[in-house]
Amino acid sequence: MTNPPLIDSFGRVHDNLRISVTDRCNIRCFYCMPEEGVEYMERSGILSFEEIERFVRVAARLGVTKIRITGGEPLVRRDLPVLIEKLLSVPGIKDLALTTNAVLLAAQAKPLYDAGLRRINVHLDTLDRARFLQITRREELDSVLAGIDECLRLGYGPIKINAVAVKDLTDADIVPLARYGRERGIEIRYIEFMPLDGQRLWGRSRVLTQDDMMAMLTREIGPLEEIPGRDPSAPASEYRFLDGVGTLGFIASVSKPFCMNCNRIRLTSDGKLRYCLFAIEETDVKGLLRGGGSDEEIGAVIRENLWKKWAGHQIGTPQFVAPPRPMNAIGG
Ligand code: SAM
Ligand code: SF4
């Protein structure tokens, strides 16, 4: 008997699971983590690869087909290729991708590729050394660029770059990043700055919007057209340059929220289910995974959590409440 799809009370079907494998990170992006005094979760509280795999088997039977591994920084989790291989072998999983800051990627790209990984999103906001340091508080730009080069060399594809866009900070990076992507066949995805920073530094006036960025790109490089036929549940709207060289994506969570098309659920590294990046409530699943819960019970908890999913976040309105965990502990 086939299971009914994973559906919320608004009729949105969910087939996309984001799994955070750690809350730890080797850099300190200011909009995600504080510079000092970060308290990490106890290692014993983090789901093992076997627990994650079991969860994915259950989720896949409920209709999850796409997975993204994230964190914290997923490459600081030891033996990640072992998990990649396990998850790719789960029946029903058709697509597996990884989001990374790429600091450790040059060394890990090959074992990850050998484990079957092909889709990778590298987080890089700037090509400017001083601004990289200012944003991440670490001097790792060269390692990140080496990681991207290694992925290109190995034949990963598609490779995308996630660039968080912050007004009065990364304005001068928008165009150079697009040029970098055009030269290498890499899509740059600009992400509007969201209120997920551990230190509450966000303000609407600090959001560089999709419209702002498109105006800059058109002026400096050339006209853009929207790529037709996009998947409506994809968070990015995609554009290409009219000269045929290069594509761009915009994740305009603040200026053009796409919540009504959302198809994502999230599993945190300590085994909590979240129906939204901005969710306030979470549902524990680790207790069932560790306490002898059956697959049916785990499935029921996934459905229960999803049924509570709200229509959407309320960023920029007085009703908005920032999530209680910082981004690195949620899993971006
Ligand atoms: N460490 C990996 C990385 O940086 O790609 C994976 C985890 S990180 C939390 C996932 C993504 O969240 C990053 O690629 C970054 O673009 C995005 N991100 C983090 N904080 C953000 C914020 N305040 N606003 C918008 N995007 C954010
Ligand atoms: Fe680390 Fe990614 Fe957060 Fe930056 S955005 S601090 S790389 S987890």
Side-chain angles (χ1 to χ4, degrees):
M1 202 182 81
T2 50
N3 283 302
L6 263 182
I7 201 163
D8 69 9
S9 66
F10 297 90
R12 293 173 290 200
V13 175
H14 289 65
D15 61 1
N16 195 310
L17 168 66
R18 297 194 163 221
I19 303 172
S20 172
V21 293
T22 181
D23 62 330
R24 291 168 193 252
C25 190
N26 44 5
I27 60 175
R28 290 286 178 277
C29 306
F30 77 91
Y31 42 67
C32 178
M33 289 177 88
E35 188 164 9
E36 280 166 21
V38 181
E39 283 187 27
Y40 289 130
M41 296 168 191
E42 289 279 334
R43 279 181 199 275
S44 60
I46 302 292
L47 295 185
S48 66
F49 288 170
E50 290 67 31
E51 287 163 344
I52 294 173
E53 183 191 357
R54 162 115 190 269
F55 180 87
V56 169
R57 285 189 187 275
V58 175
R61 285 203 291 273
L62 301 184
V64 164
T65 59
K66 295 181 196 146
I67 292 180
R68 178 169 295 278
I69 304 291
T70 179
E73 172 45 39
L75 299 190
V76 304
R77 177 93 188 237
R78 198 177 307 155
D79 298 328
L80 195 64
V82 174
L83 179 67
I84 299 290
E85 216 169 328
K86 279 181 191 295
L87 299 186
L88 280 171
S89 74
V90 172
I93 298 305
K94 300 193 183 108
D95 185 78
L96 181 73
L98 172 79
T99 300
T100 173
N101 65 27
V103 170
L104 301 173
L105 189 58
Q108 293 193 28
K110 177 80 168 69
L112 287 165
Y113 189 92
D114 291 344
L117 185 71
R118 293 293 179 271
R119 292 205 323 108
I120 200 151
N121 283 44
V122 171
H123 173 198
L124 175 64
D125 303 337
T126 178
L127 296 166
D128 178 273
R129 202 165 291 282
R131 209 146 38 245
F132 186 94
L133 175 62
Q134 189 184 356
I135 293 170
T136 68
R137 291 106 161 208
R138 297 289 186 274
E139 298 206 24
E140 295 285 5
L141 178 60
D142 291 337
S143 323
V144 175
L145 297 177
I148 296 170
D149 287 345
E150 182 62 0
C151 286
L152 286 166
R153 196 185 69 77
L154 289 166
Y156 272 87
I159 304 171
K160 295 180 181 174
I161 286 181
N162 286 354
V164 180
V166 184
K167 202 176 216 149
D168 299 330
L169 180 64
T170 68
D171 315 55
D173 298 305
I174 304 305
V175 170
L177 277 172
R179 292 207 166 104
Y180 174 89
R182 271 159 64 90
E183 283 159 16
R184 290 166 181 77
I186 295 176
E187 175 175 316
I188 311 294
R189 290 155 66 105
Y190 301 98
I191 306 178
E192 291 180 352
F193 177 28
M194 296 182 274
L196 286 159
D197 53 290
Q199 307 138 94
R200 310 281 184 254
L201 300 172
W202 188 87
R204 183 68 178 78
S205 60
R206 301 223 60 198
V207 180
L208 197 51
T209 65
Q210 174 177 345
D211 290 349
D212 296 337
M213 293 186 269
M214 284 187 58
M216 286 178 195
L217 290 156
T218 306
R219 197 170 55 235
E220 304 277 329
I221 301 181
L224 287 159
E225 65 172 355
E226 191 160 9
I227 301 177
R230 87 179 247 248
D231 170 4
S233 65
S237 50
E238 297 196 305
Y239 289 78
R240 59 188 167 213
F241 286 101
L242 277 188
D243 65 6
V245 185
T247 61
L248 302 175
F250 296 91
I251 302 187
S253 320
V254 179
S255 70
K256 304 180 209 286
F258 40 83
C259 303
M260 278 328 277
N261 291 324
C262 182
N263 66 349
R264 284 173 288 285
I265 55 172
R266 304 181 126 81
L267 178 67
T268 66
S269 55
D270 58 341
K272 311 278 186 228
L273 277 170
R274 300 176 61 85
Y275 54 66
C276 175
L277 192 53
F278 298 94
I280 306 297
E281 54 185 343
E282 300 177 333
T283 307
D284 181 70
V285 78
K286 185 171 63 187
L288 284 174
L289 287 165
R290 294 194 174 171
S294 66
D295 287 359
E296 288 66 34
E297 285 171 304
I298 295 168
V301 160
I302 299 175
R303 287 193 191 280
E304 214 173 278
N305 176 263
L306 185 58
W307 196 253
K308 294 190 229 160
K309 182 160 176 157
W310 52 26
H313 66 66
Q314 306 267 353
I315 295 177
T317 74
Q319 290 80 36
F320 179 75
V321 182
R325 293 178 184 237
M327 181 68 146
N328 66 298
I330 295 173

